[in-house]
Amino acid sequence: MSSWCGTCIDNDMQIDPFCNDWCGTCSKIRMQRNKINGKLAQLYSQQDFINNGFSIWFVGDRGFDFIAYQTRSNPLWYFVEVKYGKSRLSRLQKLVQKCCRKSHVNYFVYRVTQEQLEFWLIEQRQNMVLGQ
């Protein structure tokens, strides 16, 4: 069983996100937070595409997260991979990106920062309170 490194937790039992001591418990919690933030970033990006007139087709786990498309007079299709923070493309994602480039298919890496996600979450919470 891992123990806290001592600098990770403050008096309110909150984890310090800037703790540089990579104890086992801290790294597990960071991994869980990154996974949750990645899912939230995906929701944020999908909402952004929808707000800009695109439809979403969920595929995922094949080198991209979803396909965003517009079927107006000039149809647009994007294979979209969402990345939160400084995360990098996996080997499979790079391969799909390369294949898309060779095939003249749009592959879009949608990057979401911590600040963007925090602002969006506050906005969502306010909309829920106001009943919008």
Side-chain angles (χ1 to χ4, degrees):
M1 174 121 177
S2 301
S3 63
W4 298 103
C5 66
T7 60
C8 305
I9 284 236
D10 64 16
N11 293 336
D12 297 323
M13 296 301 288
Q14 296 295 314
I15 296 170
D16 178 5
F18 303 106
C19 171
N20 291 321
D21 296 332
W22 285 86
C23 66
T25 305
C26 298
S27 62
K28 286 179 189 174
I29 291 171
R30 274 193 191 88
M31 289 290 286
Q32 289 172 340
R33 277 191 176 174
N34 286 341
K35 191 172 185 178
I36 291 167
N37 286 337
K39 296 291 182 190
L40 290 171
Q42 201 170 356
L43 290 172
Y44 170 81
S45 66
Q46 291 165 0
Q47 189 63 50
D48 188 30
F49 272 102
I50 291 168
N51 290 345
N52 286 290
F54 284 82
S55 297
I56 305 296
W57 183 23
F58 297 99
V59 180
D61 293 336
R62 290 188 171 76
F64 56 94
D65 291 317
F66 59 90
I67 296 173
Y69 61 95
Q70 246 181 6
T71 55
R72 296 187 182 156
S73 59
N74 188 14
L76 288 172
W77 290 79
Y78 292 98
F79 285 63
V80 181
E81 175 58 35
V82 180
K83 291 295 178 190
Y84 173 73
K86 296 179 183 178
S87 61
R88 293 178 277 181
L89 293 176
S90 71
R91 190 176 300 163
L92 174 61
Q93 292 161 350
K94 287 177 184 178
L95 178 64
V96 170
Q97 183 183 40
K98 185 177 179 181
C99 289
C100 285
R101 191 177 300 128
K102 284 184 178 182
S103 303
H104 304 287
V105 174
N106 297 316
Y107 186 94
F108 185 70
V109 180
Y110 192 110
R111 293 223 165 256
V112 180
T113 66
Q114 181 179 350
E115 292 79 17
Q116 283 176 297
L117 194 57
E118 287 173 359
F119 181 81
W120 181 71
L121 289 171
I122 290 168
E123 192 176 68
Q124 296 305 305
R125 190 176 308 135
Q126 289 171 346
N127 289 344
M128 288 175 59
V129 170
L130 297 175
Q132 296 178 346

